[in-house]
Amino acid sequence: MISNVIKKYRFDFLSGIKNPPIKLLTTGMEEIDSASYHLDNRHREECYLFQYTLSGSGTVVVKGEKHIVNEGCGFFLKIPDDDEYFFDEKENLSPWRFIYIKFCGDACLPYYNLIKDSVGNIFEIGGNSKSILALFEIYRRATLGLISDSFTGERLTFDFLCKLCFDLLNDENHFSDMVVKAKRIIENEYMTIGGIYDISQRLGVSQSHLSRVFSDEVKVSPIEYLTKVRLQEAVNLLNESGKSIESIALKCGFSCGNYFCKVFKKHMGISPLEYRTRNAEY
């Protein structure tokens, strides 16, 4: 047997906007137990692939380095590139069972680079982590036919991508004590914190020292991290509440609605009102 495609879904939406910032392409679950399964990424369609091993194991080669991906191991690749993944009947445990998602769009690259630069293309991640649960939710909705429009696919994919970054970048074992404390302050007090200077004063270090060490370890500056935390909460409020744009801006720590709209559009490609309108029916 080459592959048992448990379920596979490809999304070719007729509705939506041209060249959306994030676009869901496919999701699926498969079981592999033959060396005939071998995917070379050099000439495949342009996309981002995240794949997570549920049981068994497979092999991934990134930049000439071979890795065995066991249960609880995920990999995140930008395609096309000089990478490949396959089932090795001698080295891998059969069957290799995995769940995956493929997506594209200009907004994906900063998140991909952040993960790659911080933890690499291959990493361990818990099955009950927010991102893996979000991936299973996308798969579940696909099996029930609940992803029938591009806007729902975009929203679910962005949610997965944000949660993947959160899960991988919040492993405190990777960070110094100072950076762990700075991240906790940002994540817990993003609504009211005055700025990075306030954080550095509370930690007893200079602002330049905090910014340098934080950027080295987290791969984004403290202010960029603060902005991402605020934007994620703003997305949640836009999806789940009827609060005004101004009130959401203030609740998330932005100085006013106009500034919030500028930051949101810079990162998301659309305004908060457009984002809310698109997702209101879904």
Side-chain angles (χ1 to χ4, degrees):
M1 180 177 70
I2 297 176
S3 171
N4 175 23
V5 180
I6 301 174
K7 288 287 184 180
K8 179 179 181 180
Y9 301 89
R10 181 172 181 88
F11 302 96
D12 296 298
F13 302 112
L14 298 178
S15 62
I17 62 173
K18 184 178 180 180
N19 300 321
I22 292 181
K23 180 181 180 181
L24 173 62
L25 297 175
T26 62
T27 186
M29 190 180 295
E30 297 188 32
E31 285 187 355
I32 307 298
D33 64 1
S34 169
S36 299
Y37 183 83
H38 192 137
L39 291 171
D40 187 327
N41 290 339
R42 287 175 296 179
H43 305 293
R44 301 178 68 193
E45 67 172 339
E46 185 174 338
C47 69
Y48 296 87
L49 166 71
F50 175 81
Q51 187 163 303
Y52 182 71
T53 298
L54 302 172
S55 61
S57 65
T59 299
V60 182
V61 179
V62 178
K63 302 296 183 289
E65 185 174 351
K66 186 167 71 172
H67 307 265
I68 303 298
V69 286
N70 296 299
E71 179 178 345
C73 187
F75 62 88
F76 192 17
L77 302 177
K78 184 178 183 292
I79 300 173
D81 207 341
D82 188 21
D83 306 320
E84 57 184 323
Y85 56 102
F86 51 87
F87 183 81
D88 187 320
E89 295 182 3
K90 294 182 179 179
E91 294 190 359
N92 296 143
L93 180 63
S94 174
W96 184 21
R97 187 169 182 264
F98 54 81
I99 186 171
Y100 66 91
I101 183 174
K102 289 165 58 175
F103 47 89
C104 64
D106 292 340
C108 303
L109 182 59
Y111 296 89
Y112 169 78
N113 285 337
L114 177 61
I115 290 174
K116 176 176 65 69
D117 294 342
S118 300
V119 299
N121 293 97
I122 303 170
F123 37 77
E124 293 185 0
I125 185 168
N128 289 321
S129 62
K130 293 181 179 180
S131 57
I132 301 305
L133 294 177
L135 176 55
F136 271 101
E137 176 62 12
I138 294 173
Y139 178 76
R140 183 191 72 83
R141 291 189 180 216
T143 63
L144 296 175
L146 298 178
I147 307 179
S148 58
D149 63 276
S150 62
F151 305 128
T152 298
E154 292 165 23
R155 175 170 59 85
L156 293 172
T157 304
F158 180 67
D159 179 65
F160 161 75
L161 195 53
C162 286
K163 288 176 177 175
L164 182 62
C165 288
F166 181 87
D167 289 337
L168 294 175
L169 302 181
N170 280 272
D171 184 351
E172 296 183 348
N173 292 324
H174 295 307
F175 305 122
S176 63
D177 184 60
M178 181 184 69
V179 169
V180 169
K181 290 178 180 178
K183 288 173 82 276
R184 287 178 180 172
I185 292 172
I186 291 172
E187 291 159 11
N188 294 328
E189 303 178 33
Y190 62 89
M191 294 180 288
T192 57
I193 195 165
I196 305 307
Y197 177 77
D198 291 348
I199 300 175
S200 66
Q201 290 296 293
R202 289 168 62 176
L203 296 177
V205 298
S206 69
Q207 183 174 341
S208 60
H209 178 69
L210 172 61
S211 295
R212 183 176 64 255
V213 176
F214 194 102
S215 298
D216 286 344
E217 295 186 15
V218 185
K219 308 306 178 185
V220 295
S221 69
I223 192 64
E224 288 172 323
Y225 189 77
L226 174 60
T227 299
K228 289 179 182 295
V229 170
R230 286 173 169 168
L231 285 175
Q232 180 58 56
E233 178 59 20
V235 166
N236 293 337
L237 291 173
L238 287 167
N239 286 329
E240 299 170 5
S241 77
K243 294 181 181 295
S244 68
I245 301 300
E246 183 71 23
S247 65
I248 288 176
L250 297 177
K251 184 174 180 57
C252 294
F254 294 96
S255 58
C256 65
N258 287 336
Y259 178 65
F260 165 57
C261 290
K262 290 179 182 179
V263 174
F264 192 96
K265 189 167 186 177
K266 177 182 177 181
H267 285 79
M268 298 293 291
I270 57 175
S271 71
L273 183 58
E274 288 174 310
Y275 181 87
R276 167 176 275 171
T277 302
R278 287 185 185 181
N279 292 285
E281 299 178 2
Y282 309 107

